[in-house]
Amino acid sequence: MKIDILTLFPEMFEGVFSQSIIKRAIDQNKVEICLHNFREYSTDPHHKVDDTPYGGGCGMVLTCQPIFDCVESIKTEDSKVILLTPDGIPYKQQMAYDLSLEKHLIFICGHYEGFDERIRSICDLEISIGDYVLTGGELASMVITDSIVRLLPGVIEEESHQNDSFNDHLLDYPTYTKPRVFLGMEVPEVLTSGDHKKIEEYRREQRIERTRDRRPDLLEK
Ligand code: 6GU
């Protein structure tokens, strides 16, 4: 998979993409991530990328030209162009699965002050990561990239995401490791019983119970 990210702040991504599982996925060529500062595409003599809003109001608005030209230069037949914006479709695990099957994603990181409405015309999808406002789409594109890259074949063991929270609209089951007793808190006996059928049953029950307690809204699905 190839992921291109259009941003005015490419340095924000350095730490996130140079550590742990994402770094390994990049090193193993499971994903190629390219950052594009669309300021470089501005035809303005001062490389301006924003301007005041028509009709008045506060803040600056991202202009069409640099983003249109940047997308045009990297888009192919296989590209899906995605705008990060608080008024997009709420991001869910199912969308991570769907996007992980794409060949080429292009993320456009907007700004909270806004972008020219006509930028939406070159986008295939608009995504929001939750009902709160961020200063820009950068953090959202990192969150989405992370959730997609871990699903790419061979990045983590297939089995590790079969029980992920939100699969089958259920949260994950509780896990324990050594020691068996820590500060008086014991590991549930069933997990040390060696009875795999019982363990599977216990985990399924725990997933349902947890979901009922914490996220009853998911169970309705
Ligand atoms: Cl995708 N962008 C911004 N700026 N704020 C957000 C968001 C995206 N998702 C939730 N809040």
Side-chain angles (χ1 to χ4, degrees), residues 83-86 110-112 127-137 140:
L83 185 65
L84 285 326
T85 168
H111 273 270
Y112 77 105
I127 301 180
S128 160
I129 61 161
D131 293 344
Y132 41 81
V133 179
L134 302 168
T135 54

Side-chain angles (χ1 to χ4, degrees), residues 85-118:
T85 168
D87 46 24
I89 296 171
Y91 192 61
K92 298 275 155 60
Q93 185 65 23
Q94 184 57 52
M95 211 189 275
Y97 285 118
D98 294 344
L99 293 178
S100 74
L101 304 175
E102 296 286 338
K103 285 197 183 113
H104 184 204
L105 301 176
I106 300 174
F107 290 120
I108 302 173
C109 302
H111 273 270
Y112 77 105
E113 301 98 332
F115 42 79
D116 191 302
E117 186 67 16
R118 292 165 289 189

